[in-house]
Amino acid sequence: MATTPDPRLLPHEVAQWARGAGLPLDPGRLDLVTATANHIRSVIAVLRDLDLDIDPDTDLDPAGAVPAPVSAHPARGAEEGRDDAAV
């Protein structure tokens, strides 16, 4: 029986990915960022394993998407006649 490699990221891998993205990490934050990245990866793995009974060809059609609910409150700044870009 083959064993699967440990999918957890190691601190030096996280530091390498961060540097590659132009986000060098302070060494004092590396352990926290590594733990957070590993938690996110584990959540994504669980979500991928869920059978959501979705047919990508029909259920994810943007034309059939449910519109977002409309807020009962005006956007901040709208009451003064400003749009969001001016706020």
Side-chain angles (χ1 to χ4, degrees):
M1 176 166 80
T3 61
T4 58
D6 188 352
R8 287 179 294 175
L9 294 170
L10 299 174
H12 74 276
E13 293 171 318
V14 171
Q16 181 180 352
W17 280 91
R19 276 192 308 276
L23 302 168
L25 293 173
D26 178 64
R29 298 194 55 203
L30 187 55
D31 289 338
L32 178 62
V33 172
T34 300
T36 302
N38 283 319
H39 179 72
I40 291 169
R41 286 173 57 115
S42 69
V43 169
I44 290 171
V46 169
L47 292 173
R48 284 185 177 149
D49 288 341
L50 291 177
D51 180 10
L52 299 175
D53 196 27
I54 294 176
D55 180 1
D57 294 328
T58 58
D59 294 340
L60 299 179
D61 178 15
V66 177
V70 177
S71 174
H73 302 286
R76 184 175 185 181
E79 62 274 2
E80 290 99 29
R82 298 179 293 176
D83 61 35
D84 288 341
V87 175

